[in-house]
Amino acid sequence: MGPAVARIHDRRTFAALARPDGRATRGPVRVSFVAPHGDRAVPRVGYAVGKRHGNAVRRNRLRRRLREGVRQAAVGVPGGLAPGAYLVRAGPG
């Protein structure tokens, strides 16, 4: 069984996420979504954690927690996450 969620690696997708097709906010977590282009059938996720969240250790810990939250959400949704690109951001708090 392969990964339920892949990572975003290309700049073009991050640039597209600057003009998202959809957005959602729940507490300090914000998610932007862009519909898939081409043959991308797997959901891809990128994470944005700024320096105001602390030093590298704290930012990486937060990024790992966000990654696990997305993994749990993908498992909890019937059929998994919809194909496309997601940008998960951590706000203050």
Side-chain angles (χ1 to χ4, degrees), residues 8-55:
I8 297 174
H9 293 285
D10 57 317
R11 284 185 175 269
R12 186 173 42 183
T13 303
F14 279 109
L17 283 163
R19 299 171 308 283
D21 295 335
R23 294 180 189 175
T25 302
R26 184 73 49 136
V29 179
R30 296 177 305 189
V31 178
S32 302
F33 171 77
V34 175
H37 296 103
D39 61 345
R40 304 269 186 184
V42 66
R44 297 178 305 141
V45 181
Y47 302 92
V49 179
K51 287 190 175 185
R52 67 179 162 174
H53 291 288
N55 62 16

